[in-house]
């Protein structure tokens, strides 16, 4: 098999960052199956794989539509090369895309590359039943649709999602709650729950959107969407409370109280975050509903069945929920071995779930079970293929099984951060929209004539908490220097930013040294934990001067050099760390973050795990984990930040126009992690480009 031509074509695309290395092996496998396919078709397959690499489930076999998608990607890749100073990269031999696409589409539609492609004429699941198809590619010819080309595994996942989502989610639009129903549930919840504001205790008041969701959740499965602060977790808490009680929301329901409740999310951190939010919500339940009636004082009374059941809930990853088995290369819970019908599922951060995992989840849930899926479709889609949440929120059948929460409890109608997020979201909704005209406030320290100074090494002097002194609800901007900078100049720019940002984080070692992991003081643990969540640096990139690896390296050096004590060990007290590989034995998962504390000369990682003990913190010797499973976490990628919140966020955008990570979803996700202030590190051009570049994935799910 002569692959010289296709390898050259592939190599040029790879040099442009337009295709993954793994695809070469897949292409060679297809050519071996049918060595007589034309060179044009081989090149067309390269373009198909390139679009699949972007997370698309399918590509259109229509020359005009395919050209539109490819041209958009190619222009971005070329611009990226130019802005990176690599415009000289040869693209000879691959500039006649129109001819490659038209010939490739024609070959597939009429010759069909039959040895590795099957034709599907309808989208009935019977056609793709297990073992019915053995080809790596699927071509669909469905009446009224464009023909599409799928990877087999992605097509199967799409069909399974349509089948099981269609079973689990019914149309509830014809029986929406009345105003009287909404008022009634609002009064009932106000009678059992409170919240504190200004030192005063008030009855909990759900808004009309939230109350409607609670009512609908009692009788139907729902997908609940909304941005940060809209109360998705609050809604779920009172749906669960309603399902476990009688109509008065006060009396336990013997039948439903026996149900199993599962909390799950695509990452361990997101699962912990959901569990923590539910636990915080339970604190508002009035004491009389936390304890059963009986003799004796309150301390002797047993917790009520409902309150205790909800308080004992633990979050897990979806993989752990389904019980992934390496030996079987699959999940223990599946279409043949489903969960019990007496089960309730709450799935958070659904935008992060890829098409294959979504399919595995839904087929393991029986029709009689309850399921509530939470997420924000405007955040980043999954790392792997698909944008499932966005697709199932626009059912072609016009079924109504969604609740959209729009009122934010975090930001007011005139909020600076909230309105910027809305404007960025509007760009995603309207392809013709331009970047929002927004008045950014120059960062007071970074834009001052005198750059902030680093603290003197080993001085022990106090450092002002710069970021903590920023006003609330503010968006700051620091424009990176125009033009090409040397590596030294970029490093100096980064140091300037970090000197301004570090603030109270210089105190982390001193506080950490006061914590004994074998006999921890809860107040001191709480203090350092709260400090660690005050702020975070987010970057779209891992590598480069403004990537998280270099930022963390520089931040750790600044803290090591400050203070009277020199830290020479691999880890220093107060260092923020992230678990990057699942450690299931210790119930730690990719994305969990912690703080380094010491006992004598032994470093431990301190993590918040509310379910483990009353104090809410656990400690593990760092020697128990592989070094490659841990990394510093003063800066994290925007992808890793999903499901987290910080008072202050400083966000680095890629500096090159055309960069694949310079997009609307990156920008929206980063900004909405902030509760008080955001500082955007970018150029005016890259901010505008990020707003207007919307990730579009063709998943093809139709409910």
């Amino acid at each position: 098999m002569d692959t010289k031509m296709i390898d050259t074509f592939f190599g040029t695309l790879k040099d442009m960052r337009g295709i993954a290395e793994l695809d070469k092996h897949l292409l060679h496998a297809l050519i071996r199956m049918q060595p007589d396919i034309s060179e044009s078709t081989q090149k067309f397959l390269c373009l198909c794989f390139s679009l699949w690499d972007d997370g698309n489930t399918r590509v259109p076999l229509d020359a005009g539509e395919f050209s539109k998608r490819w041209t958009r990607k190619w222009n971005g890749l070329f611009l990226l090369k130019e802005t990176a100073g690599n415009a000289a990269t040869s693209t000879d031999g691959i500039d006649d895309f129109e001819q490659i696409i038209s010939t490739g589409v024609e070959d597939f539609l009429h010759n069909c590359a039959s040895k590795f492609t099957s034709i599907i004429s309808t989208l009935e699941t019977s056609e793709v039943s297990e073992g019915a198809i053995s080809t790596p590619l699927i071509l669909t010819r469905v009446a009224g649709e464009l023909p599409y080309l799928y990877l087999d595994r992605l097509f199967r996942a799409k069909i399974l999602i349509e089948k099981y989502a269609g079973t689990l989610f019914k149309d509830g639009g014809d029986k929406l709650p009345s105003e009287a129903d909404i008022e009634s549930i609002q009064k009932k919840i106000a009678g059992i729950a409170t919240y504190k504001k200004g030192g005063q205790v008030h009855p909990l008041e759900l808004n009309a959107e939230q109350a409607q969701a609670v009512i609908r959740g009692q009788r139907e499965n729902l997908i609940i969407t909304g941005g940060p602060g809209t109360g998705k977790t609050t809604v779920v808490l009172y749906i669960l409370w309603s399902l476990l009680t009688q109509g008065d929301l006060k009396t336990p329901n013997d039948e439903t109280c026996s149900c199993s409740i599962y909390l799950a999310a695509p990452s361990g951190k997101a699962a912990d975050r959901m569990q923590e939010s539910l636990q915080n919500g339970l604190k508002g339940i009035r004491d009389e509903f936390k304890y059963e009636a009986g003799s004796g004082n309150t301390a002797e009374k047993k917790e009520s069945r409902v309150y205790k059941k909800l308080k004992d809930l633990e979050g897990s990853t979806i993989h752990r929920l389904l019980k992934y088995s390496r030996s079987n290369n699959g999940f223990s819970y599946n279409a043949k071995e489903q969960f019990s019908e007496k089960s309730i599922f709450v799935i958070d951060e659904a935008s992060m779930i890829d098409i294959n995992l979504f399919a595995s989840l839904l087929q393991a849930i029986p029709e009689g079970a309850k399921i509530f899926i939470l997420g924000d479709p405007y955040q980043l889609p999954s790392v792997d293929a698909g944008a499932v949440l966005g697709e199932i929120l626009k059912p072609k059948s016009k079924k109504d099984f969604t609740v959209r929460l729009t009122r934010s409890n975090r930001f007011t109608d005139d909020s600076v951060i909230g309105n910027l997020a809305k404007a960025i979201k509007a760009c995603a909704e309207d392809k013709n929209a331009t970047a929002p005209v927004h008045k950014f406030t120059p960062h007071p320290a970074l834009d001052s004539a005198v750059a902030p100074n680093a603290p003197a090494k080993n001085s022990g002097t106090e450092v002002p908490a710069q970021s903590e002194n920023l006003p609330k609800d503010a968006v700051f901007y620091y424009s990176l220097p125009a033009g090409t900078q040397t590596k030294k100049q970029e490093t100096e720019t980064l140091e300037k930013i970090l000197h301004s940002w570090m603030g109270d984080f210089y105190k982390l070692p001193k506080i950490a040294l006061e914590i004994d992991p074998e006999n921890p003081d809860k107040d001191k643990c709480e203090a350092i934990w709260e400090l660690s969540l005050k702020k975070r640096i987010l970057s779209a990139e891992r590598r480069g001067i403004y990537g998280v690896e270099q930022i963390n390296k520089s931040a750790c050096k600044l803290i090591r050099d400050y203070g009277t004590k020199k830290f020479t060990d691999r880890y220093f007290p107060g260092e923020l760390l992230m678990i990057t590989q699942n450690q299931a034995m210790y119930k730690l998962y990719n994305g969990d973050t912690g703080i380094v504390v010491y006992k004598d000369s032994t470093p431990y990682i301190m993590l918040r795990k509310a379910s483990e003990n009353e104090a809410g913190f656990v400690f593990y010797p760092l020697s128990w984990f592989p070094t490659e499973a841990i990394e510093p976490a003063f800066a994290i990628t925007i992808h890793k930040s999903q499901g987290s919140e910080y008072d202050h966020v400083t966000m680095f955008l890629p500096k090159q126009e055309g960069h694949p990570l310079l997009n609307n979803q990156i920008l929206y996700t980063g900004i909405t992690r902030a509760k008080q202030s955001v500082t955007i590190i970018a150029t005016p051009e890259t901010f505008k480009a990020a707003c207007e570049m919307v990730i579009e994935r063709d998943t093809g799910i139709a409910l």
Side-chain angles (χ1 to χ4, degrees):
M1 180 182 73
D2 186 5
T3 61
K4 184 177 179 181
M5 179 281 303
I6 193 64
D7 287 350
T8 301
F9 186 83
F10 183 96
T12 307
L13 280 181
K14 183 171 174 282
D15 289 343
M16 294 288 290
R17 297 175 64 175
I19 198 165
E21 177 65 29
L22 176 63
D23 294 335
K24 181 190 275 188
H25 304 286
L26 300 175
L27 280 164
H28 283 183
L30 295 180
I31 295 170
R32 283 195 297 271
M33 293 175 70
Q34 192 166 350
D36 60 337
I37 59 173
S38 68
E39 289 187 358
S40 289
T41 301
Q42 292 179 31
K43 291 179 178 179
F44 179 69
L45 278 169
C46 273
L47 305 190
C48 290
F49 274 104
S50 181
L51 293 179
W52 284 323
D53 286 345
D54 292 342
N56 296 292
T57 299
R58 63 183 187 176
V59 295
L61 289 185
D62 175 87
E65 187 62 31
F66 194 106
S67 292
K68 268 195 300 186
R69 299 188 190 187
W70 177 255
T71 300
R72 182 175 182 179
K73 175 169 183 173
W74 178 251
N75 288 341
L77 294 174
F78 205 81
L79 181 60
L80 178 59
K81 279 292 182 184
E82 287 186 327
T83 56
N86 298 317
T89 299
S90 175
T91 56
D92 295 342
I94 64 169
D95 52 355
D96 191 10
F97 289 124
E98 294 296 330
Q99 181 62 39
I100 293 169
I101 292 168
S102 62
T103 302
V105 167
E106 187 75 10
D107 280 354
F108 266 90
L109 290 178
H110 294 95
N111 302 324
C112 191
S114 59
K115 292 184 180 178
F116 56 70
T117 307
S118 298
I119 299 177
I120 300 292
S121 57
T122 65
L123 296 181
E124 296 292 332
T125 54
S126 58
E127 264 198 85
V128 290
S129 59
E130 189 173 350
I133 299 173
S134 58
T135 58
L137 302 182
I138 304 291
L139 192 163
T140 60
R141 290 180 175 271
V142 180
E145 286 190 359
L146 291 176
Y148 287 97
L149 191 65
Y150 292 79
L151 289 173
D152 167 65
R153 60 183 177 83
L154 301 180
F155 181 73
R156 290 178 182 275
K158 160 193 146 61
I159 291 295
L160 288 171
I161 289 173
E162 291 173 344
K163 174 183 177 181
Y164 289 99
T167 300
L168 290 168
F169 296 100
K170 310 296 185 182
D171 185 11
D174 59 343
K175 46 185 177 183
L176 294 177
S178 65
E179 289 188 11
D181 293 335
I182 290 172
E183 290 178 6
S184 176
I185 198 71
Q186 287 174 322
K187 289 179 180 179
K188 288 178 179 179
I189 291 173
I192 65 169
T194 63
Y195 71 98
K196 289 183 179 180
K197 185 176 181 180
Q200 300 293 316
V201 177
H202 306 273
L204 181 65
E205 298 177 357
L206 298 188
N207 62 46
E209 290 178 339
Q210 295 169 328
Q212 183 182 115
V214 172
I215 296 170
R216 291 186 64 183
Q218 297 176 38
R219 64 193 187 207
E220 58 184 291
N221 295 336
L222 291 175
I223 296 176
I224 303 170
T225 71
T230 52
K232 295 187 293 292
T233 309
T234 299
V235 164
V236 163
L237 170 61
Y238 290 103
I239 288 177
L240 294 176
W241 188 279
S242 300
L243 290 173
L244 298 180
T245 56
Q246 308 284 4
D248 59 3
L249 303 191
K250 300 176 181 179
T251 309
N253 185 314
D254 291 338
E255 183 177 350
T256 56
C257 274
S258 62
C259 288
S260 298
I261 302 177
Y262 303 97
L263 310 179
S267 72
K269 183 170 69 172
D272 283 348
R273 173 76 183 165
M274 174 173 51
Q275 178 185 332
E276 186 179 348
S277 296
L278 284 172
Q279 299 303 320
N280 287 336
L282 280 172
K283 293 177 181 177
I285 299 294
R286 298 179 187 271
D287 284 347
E288 58 261 40
F289 304 114
K290 296 179 182 179
Y291 307 101
E292 292 182 349
S295 60
N297 58 44
T298 301
E300 295 174 339
K301 296 175 185 177
K302 295 180 179 180
E303 293 173 301
S304 75
R305 292 175 62 192
V306 173
Y307 178 77
K308 179 174 174 44
K309 191 176 186 71
L310 296 178
K311 190 173 184 297
D312 290 344
L313 291 179
E314 293 187 30
S316 81
T317 62
I318 296 173
H319 282 81
R320 184 155 53 105
L321 171 70
L322 299 177
K323 295 187 177 180
Y324 180 75
S325 170
R326 290 183 182 272
S327 59
N328 297 328
N329 192 29
F331 295 109
S332 299
Y333 287 105
N334 50 53
K336 295 180 179 178
E337 299 291 336
Q338 296 181 315
F339 290 91
S340 166
E341 289 191 356
K342 296 186 68 174
S343 300
I344 304 172
F345 299 85
V346 180
I347 311 299
D348 201 7
E349 298 294 346
S351 66
M352 300 165 58
I353 309 175
D354 64 82
I355 190 168
N356 285 303
L357 186 57
F358 227 121
S360 296
L361 172 67
L362 293 185
Q363 65 181 312
I365 299 174
E367 184 174 357
K370 301 286 292 183
I371 180 171
F372 305 100
I373 295 177
L374 286 60
D376 184 354
Y378 298 98
Q379 291 189 39
L380 285 162
S382 62
V383 174
D384 294 321
V388 183
L389 180 64
E391 290 284 288
I392 62 180
L393 285 174
K394 45 185 182 184
K396 292 185 178 181
S397 66
K398 306 301 181 183
K399 288 199 299 185
D400 183 3
F401 48 80
T402 65
V403 173
R404 291 174 170 83
L405 304 178
T406 60
R407 291 183 57 185
S408 175
N409 298 313
R410 182 183 303 171
F411 304 116
T412 60
D413 291 341
D414 59 349
S415 148
V416 176
I417 298 175
N419 283 325
L420 178 59
K422 287 179 186 176
I424 294 168
K425 188 165 67 174
C427 276
E429 295 171 332
D430 182 359
K431 294 181 180 179
N432 297 316
T434 58
V437 178
H438 187 83
K439 183 172 176 61
F440 293 101
T441 304
H443 193 282
L446 293 175
D447 278 354
S448 62
V450 181
N453 295 317
K457 292 184 178 182
N458 301 313
S459 66
T461 58
E462 281 294 311
V463 177
Q466 293 96 334
S467 62
E468 288 80 354
N469 293 331
L470 295 173
K472 293 184 178 180
D473 190 29
V475 177
F476 300 101
Y477 188 85
Y478 177 69
S479 182
L480 292 171
T484 303
Q485 284 191 301
T486 65
K487 186 174 181 179
K488 181 181 178 183
Q489 289 172 321
E490 287 186 319
T491 302
E492 290 173 348
T493 299
L494 175 61
E495 289 180 351
K496 172 184 178 181
I497 294 168
L498 287 177
H499 293 161
S500 171
W501 176 83
M502 196 65 69
D504 270 357
F505 273 14
Y506 283 114
K507 301 175 182 177
L508 285 170
K510 181 176 182 291
I511 302 172
L513 287 170
E514 297 175 356
I515 295 173
D516 182 353
E518 294 182 0
N519 187 28
D521 182 294
K522 185 178 179 181
D523 291 339
K524 290 180 179 179
C525 290
E526 287 284 357
I528 196 171
W529 193 260
E530 290 302 315
L531 174 58
S532 75
L533 296 178
K534 281 286 185 183
K535 55 191 172 182
R536 198 69 87 240
I537 291 176
L538 308 181
S539 178
E541 302 176 277
R542 284 199 60 82
R543 296 176 178 82
I545 294 294
Y546 304 130
V548 297
E549 292 178 356
Q550 182 58 51
I551 296 172
N552 277 319
K553 183 178 178 181
S554 299
C556 288
K557 186 177 185 303
L558 286 173
I559 296 179
R560 285 180 180 274
D561 289 344
Y562 174 72
T564 56
K565 184 176 176 62
K566 188 73 171 177
F567 302 109
T568 57
D569 294 346
R570 179 181 181 87
Y571 306 103
F572 61 85
E575 184 175 359
L576 306 187
L577 295 179
M578 174 179 287
I579 305 294
T580 58
Q581 297 176 12
N582 292 342
Q583 307 295 317
M585 181 183 298
Y586 310 114
K587 297 184 179 180
L588 301 179
Y589 300 93
N590 187 355
D592 283 345
T593 55
I595 306 168
V596 176
V597 297
Y598 270 77
K599 177 67 175 181
D600 300 324
S601 59
T602 301
Y604 290 74
I605 183 171
M606 180 184 97
L607 305 102
R608 184 187 285 280
K609 293 285 181 179
S611 62
E612 296 296 321
N613 54 57
E614 188 176 346
F617 296 96
V618 294
F619 300 82
Y620 298 103
L622 283 167
S623 60
W624 290 4
F625 309 116
T627 55
E628 64 271 18
I630 300 171
E631 64 181 32
F634 294 97
I636 61 177
T637 63
I638 297 174
H639 279 86
K640 287 283 191 184
S641 75
Q642 292 190 102
S644 299
E645 297 175 337
Y646 309 99
D647 288 350
H648 308 278
V649 164
T650 296
M651 179 169 57
F652 285 81
L653 295 180
K655 60 183 180 178
Q656 299 149 325
E657 292 182 63
H659 195 290
L661 294 176
L662 191 67
N663 57 64
N664 184 282
Q665 288 92 331
I666 280 276
L667 189 58
Y668 175 84
T669 301
I671 285 172
T672 55
R673 298 311 90 201
K675 296 190 288 185
Q676 294 186 15
S677 76
V678 179
T679 299
I680 300 172
I681 311 293
T683 67
E685 293 77 17
T686 53
F687 175 81
K688 183 175 186 297
C691 286
E692 297 176 359
M693 177 55 68
V694 180
I695 301 173
E696 294 185 52
R697 291 183 172 180
D698 191 351
T699 305
I701 293 171
L703 300 182

